[in-house]
Amino acid sequence: MIVDAPTVSWMEDGQSHLARWLSESAAPPPRQLLVADDRMRAADAYGLAAQGTALLWRGDFHNARQLLTAMTRRLDRHARRSDRSARAHPVSETFHLHRQAQAQRARTLGALLVPLEADYTIPLRRAPDARQACLEAFGPGDAPALMSLRALLGVIGAHQWRVRGLEVAAAGGRVHPHYGVFAPVRAEYLQLVATAPLPASREAAFDIGTGTGVLAAVLVRRGLRRIVATDLDARALACAQDNLARLGVAAQVELQEADLFPPGRADLIVCNPPWLPARPSSPIERGIYDPESQMLHGFLNGLAAHLAPGGEGWLVLSDLAEHLQLRSRAQLLDMFAGAGLEVIGRSEAKPTHRKSSDVHDPLHRARAAEVTSLWRLRAAGAGGAP
C-alpha cells in the first residue's frame, strides 16, 4: 500500500464511507463524488467528469470499461480540434499546450473510479483478478481503497508486460519492466550502446540511472568486466536486480542506491537521462522529463571526476528538445564545455517508434526530425586517440 495515502469520504445509501485514495500520479482525492452504475449514459458521465465530479462505479466492470472508451472517444474528438488549433502556434508553445491538454485528459478520464477491497479484490460483476498486479504496484494492501479505472487498467497492463517482457537482443534476452519503471521500448538507443566503439580499457563501467538494468546487461554482453549500476528509485533497483538475474549477468553487476555516481572511477560511464527539460506529472514520466535538465547537468558536471585515465562517458540523448525549442544544440555544447568535457565521437540513429510517423500527432514535425545520439565524451585535455 502507498505509504500515507490520503483518504476519500462519501455518502452512499444514507451512510458515510471512507477509503484509501490510490493515485500513482499524486492526483488529489475527489472533492465531489457521485455513485454510478450501468444506467449512466456516456454523455452524462463525460459532462460530470469534465466539471470535476468523480463517478464511483457500482455496476458491471465490463460496462465500466465500455463507458471509459465512450468518454475517451468524446474527449478525442475535442482534442483533435484543439490540436489543429495548437499547430498554428510556435512549436514550443504547441508542446506546452499539448501537455496541458494531456493533463486535462488525464483528469477527465481519471474521474471514473472503481472500489478495491483490502486485498485488492474488485467487488464488481465480471471484474478481473487484479490482486497480483496491485500487489506489485503498491505493496500489501491493508484497507479498502478507491482508484481510477484508467489507472487500474494501467496497473493490470503493467503486470501483463512484466510477465511477458520484451526481447532485447543486445541484452541477451527478455527484459521485464516493473510497474513504475520506464520500459526500454526505444530500440535505437540500445543499438547505439551495443555498437559504439569501446575505450581501450574495459575493466570497470558505471551505468547511471539504470532503470530496468538493460544498459548494464548490454555492457556485460560487450565484455565489460565489472559494472556498478545506480538508481535512486527502489522500484528501479528491484526491477534491475530481477532482470539481471533473469539474463544471467547478476554476478558482473553491482547495484547501488545512489544519486548519479557511485564512489570511485570507471573506464566507461553510461547515462541515458530523461530527454526533455520539463516537469513530470507522474513518477513514470520521470523517465521522459528532466526538470531544468537537472539530471543531465548532474551527470555532465560530475563525469570528469569519475572517469579513469583514458576513460569515456557515453551520453545517450535525443535532440527532440531542440526541435521543440526547449534546449538548443549550442546550449548542450556549452554544457559539455562548462563541465570540462570534450566530444571525441558521436553516433546517431533515427527513431522508429509509431509517433515518429504519426502525421496526426500535434508534435509530428518535431518527432519526424528527431535523432537520437550517443555522445562520446572525455575530460578536456585528457589526450589519446578518439
Side-chain angles (χ1 to χ4, degrees):
M1 178 69 70
I2 295 178
V3 177
D4 298 327
T7 58
V8 55
S9 59
W10 72 99
M11 294 296 296
E12 184 175 356
D13 296 330
Q15 295 184 338
S16 177
H17 296 264
L18 184 71
R20 291 286 191 110
W21 171 244
L22 294 183
S23 173
E24 181 71 14
S25 65
R31 294 181 179 179
Q32 298 179 328
L33 189 150
L34 178 70
V35 177
D37 57 26
D38 301 321
R39 295 168 292 180
M40 175 67 68
R41 297 170 57 246
D44 296 334
Y46 176 77
L48 289 166
Q51 294 170 21
T53 298
L55 304 171
L56 174 56
W57 192 255
R58 292 298 191 188
D60 179 86
F61 185 87
H62 286 208
N63 289 347
R65 292 192 63 166
Q66 290 177 349
L67 178 62
L68 183 64
T69 299
M71 292 171 63
T72 302
R73 284 198 297 265
R74 281 172 165 76
L75 196 59
D76 285 347
R77 284 197 294 269
H78 176 73
R80 281 193 290 271
R81 292 193 294 269
S82 299
D83 286 343
R84 285 194 293 269
S85 174
R87 288 190 179 98
H89 297 277
V91 65
S92 59
E93 188 174 346
T94 299
F95 169 72
H96 292 298
L97 290 172
H98 177 64
R99 290 210 73 204
Q100 290 174 8
Q102 291 296 95
Q104 179 59 46
R105 173 191 176 89
R107 285 192 292 270
T108 301
L109 296 180
L112 183 57
L113 312 182
V114 291
L116 299 172
E117 302 290 4
D119 65 350
Y120 299 125
T121 298
I122 305 169
L124 300 175
R125 296 188 307 277
R126 294 200 293 171
D129 185 349
R131 289 175 295 177
Q132 183 60 33
C134 290
L135 181 64
E136 292 169 355
F138 306 122
D142 58 7
L146 301 184
M147 70 182 302
S148 82
L149 173 59
R150 187 169 184 251
L152 177 62
L153 295 176
V155 168
I156 294 171
H159 168 68
Q160 293 169 345
W161 206 1
R162 175 172 175 171
V163 171
R164 292 194 305 266
L166 63 157
E167 186 68 26
V168 180
R174 300 188 76 79
V175 172
H176 298 257
H178 291 196
Y179 179 77
V181 182
F182 199 71
V185 293
R186 296 284 296 262
E188 77 274 7
Y189 84 86
L190 297 170
Q191 190 61 24
L192 289 173
V193 174
T195 56
L198 291 167
S201 178
R202 304 169 189 178
E203 187 62 33
F206 295 162
D207 173 21
I208 307 301
T210 192
T212 60
V214 64
L215 290 185
V218 173
L219 295 178
V220 171
R221 301 302 183 197
R222 296 209 62 191
L224 275 297
R225 298 176 181 84
R226 183 177 62 85
I227 298 162
V228 180
T230 68
D231 211 296
L232 271 178
D233 188 344
R235 281 175 171 171
L237 291 170
C239 179
Q241 184 177 42
D242 177 35
N243 282 313
L244 294 169
R246 288 173 182 266
L247 293 167
V249 297
Q252 294 102 307
V253 183
E254 177 187 349
L255 291 167
Q256 288 190 18
E257 181 180 344
D259 187 1
L260 297 177
F261 298 95
R265 296 174 179 264
D267 305 303
L268 177 62
I269 304 179
V270 179
C271 184
N272 175 32
W275 292 345
L276 295 178
R279 187 169 300 280
S281 60
S282 65
I284 193 62
E285 286 194 343
R286 293 172 189 159
I288 306 171
Y289 300 111
D290 182 15
E292 300 178 350
S293 300
Q294 292 174 359
M295 184 174 179
L296 177 59
H297 279 292
F299 171 70
L300 294 175
N301 291 334
L303 180 58
H306 288 87
L307 285 174
E312 295 184 17
W314 289 0
L315 172 66
V316 181
L317 195 68
S318 158
D319 66 354
L320 182 60
E322 298 173 22
H323 298 295
L324 293 173
Q325 299 176 1
L326 302 176
R327 179 176 58 229
S328 70
R329 176 59 56 88
Q331 288 174 317
L332 179 63
L333 296 177
D334 285 346
M335 288 184 200
F336 295 164
L341 301 168
E342 60 185 14
V343 179
I344 59 173
R346 175 176 167 237
S347 51
E348 62 182 39
K350 288 286 293 181
T352 57
H353 60 87
R354 179 180 57 81
K355 285 188 176 181
S356 65
S357 58
D358 182 2
V359 296
H360 301 293
D361 189 306
L363 306 178
H364 171 67
R365 283 181 298 169
R367 296 192 194 279
E370 179 188 6
V371 170
T372 302
S373 295
L374 186 151
W375 297 86
R376 294 173 56 216
L377 306 168
R378 69 182 175 196

